[in-house]
Amino acid sequence: MNPEQFVTALKEHGIELNDTQREQFSIYYKTLVEWNEKINLTAITAEEEVYLKHFYDCITAAFYYDLNKDLHICDVGAGAGFPSIPLKICFPQLKVTIVDSLQKRIGFLNHLADQLKLSNVAFYHDRAENFGKNKQFRETFDIVTARAVARMSVLSELCLPLVKKDGVFIAMKGAQANSEMNDGKNAIELLGGETEALHTFKLPQEESERSIVIITKKRKTPKKFPRKAGMPNKEPIE
């Protein structure tokens, strides 16, 4: 998917990019490739693949949930800024908070935000487990997103504590979403969530399967969650 095809594909879903936004994606791509030589951000570096498998793939969340309003998003384990920075470029009014456990990636994100001239973005070097216990952030976000970070039983414990009541957790998944949802349903319920929708579709051109899982926060998360760093992955709630 070259940049022109990317613009056309988004337009088909009602997202029209202006010249500034197109330029931001171009700068994003160049900055990603440049920094990827210094720190490991992505295995995908060819322009057409980055535009399809990163940029377009991230924005698919907006095909299934209305992001065209003032919302505060927390992106857990965003790595090189996926999915929240592509979404921020498309929907500039969004407030974005990213938490990532690697300081080098936070360095990249700060530089990227500067290059893209983004406002209302904040980056925190922290483990999601610790961040979810922080009173400043716990249950304060309209939306919490995560893309390919961990399986649903683990991810729910990292993300749902950050979602405010009646907010949503949007998980971006590959072909394993259905089986992951079965394994994760106890965790979702225990942590105060309720599965609203599971949208499965194929990425254009390469036809690989993707899923967007939307979970609404119905009840407060019990105080003991998330457990200490490493525990959700070591002993997932299943």
Side-chain angles (χ1 to χ4, degrees):
M1 180 178 278
N2 64 36
E4 290 73 29
Q5 290 168 325
F6 170 71
V7 169
T8 303
L10 290 185
K11 195 173 180 180
E12 286 169 9
H13 287 276
I15 299 169
E16 296 200 37
L17 300 182
N18 60 32
D19 290 345
T20 302
Q21 291 165 313
R22 293 179 194 198
E23 179 62 15
Q24 283 176 308
F25 277 111
S26 175
I27 293 166
Y28 196 164
Y29 171 67
K30 288 169 189 156
T31 309
L32 179 69
V33 171
E34 184 189 314
W35 274 64
N36 203 53
E37 291 178 9
K38 298 182 275 185
I39 64 171
N40 181 27
L41 293 166
T42 176
I44 298 166
T45 53
E47 184 181 56
E48 295 203 351
E49 287 202 37
V50 170
Y51 268 83
L52 174 66
K53 294 179 183 176
H54 283 325
F55 298 163
Y56 181 86
D57 187 35
C58 288
I59 297 159
T60 56
F63 302 168
Y64 300 99
Y65 193 86
D66 182 12
L67 296 176
N68 222 340
K69 43 194 171 185
D70 291 333
L71 296 164
H72 194 173
I73 292 186
C74 179
D75 192 356
V76 172
F82 305 132
S84 57
I85 300 296
L87 290 169
K88 169 73 175 170
I89 293 172
C90 292
F91 304 95
Q93 86 291 348
L94 294 175
K95 277 181 76 178
V96 170
T97 295
I98 289 177
V99 56
D100 196 275
S101 60
L102 200 66
Q103 183 65 57
K104 285 180 181 175
R105 286 197 288 257
I106 297 295
F108 164 74
L109 290 168
N110 276 309
H111 176 77
L112 178 68
D114 194 45
Q115 295 294 302
L116 299 180
K117 298 181 171 58
L118 299 179
S119 59
N120 281 325
V121 290
F123 310 119
Y124 293 91
H125 172 231
D126 204 352
R127 292 285 299 244
E129 296 95 330
N130 300 332
F131 199 72
K133 287 279 194 193
N134 188 324
K135 284 179 184 157
Q136 188 186 341
F137 304 111
R138 185 179 178 89
E139 298 189 310
T140 62
F141 296 98
D142 300 302
I143 299 173
V144 177
T145 60
R147 178 176 175 256
V149 172
R151 59 197 191 279
M152 280 306 292
S153 50
V154 178
L155 206 51
S156 299
E157 187 170 352
L158 302 180
C159 295
L160 277 167
L162 291 162
V163 184
K164 71 182 188 186
K165 194 163 177 288
D166 299 322
V168 294
F169 162 36
I170 300 176
M172 307 189 72
K173 291 284 172 189
Q176 307 301 317
N178 269 317
S179 63
E180 282 194 32
M181 289 306 291
N182 283 333
D183 293 340
K185 63 185 178 203
N186 290 340
I188 292 165
E189 192 177 327
L190 180 61
L191 296 154
E194 201 170 282
T195 305
E196 187 127 324
L198 194 161
H199 303 280
T200 299
F201 59 97
K202 286 189 163 62
L203 268 192
Q205 297 181 0
E206 68 158 30
E207 295 290 298
S208 58
E209 193 174 292
R210 295 286 189 276
S211 291
I212 306 281
V213 183
I214 298 173
I215 294 165
T216 306
K217 180 79 169 274
K218 295 291 189 184
R219 301 168 302 284
K220 284 193 142 202
T221 300
K223 281 198 171 86
K224 68 173 184 172
F225 299 110
R227 290 166 292 167
K228 65 181 185 184
M231 282 300 286
N233 205 34
K234 201 172 168 188
E235 294 176 18
I237 305 160
E238 283 180 0

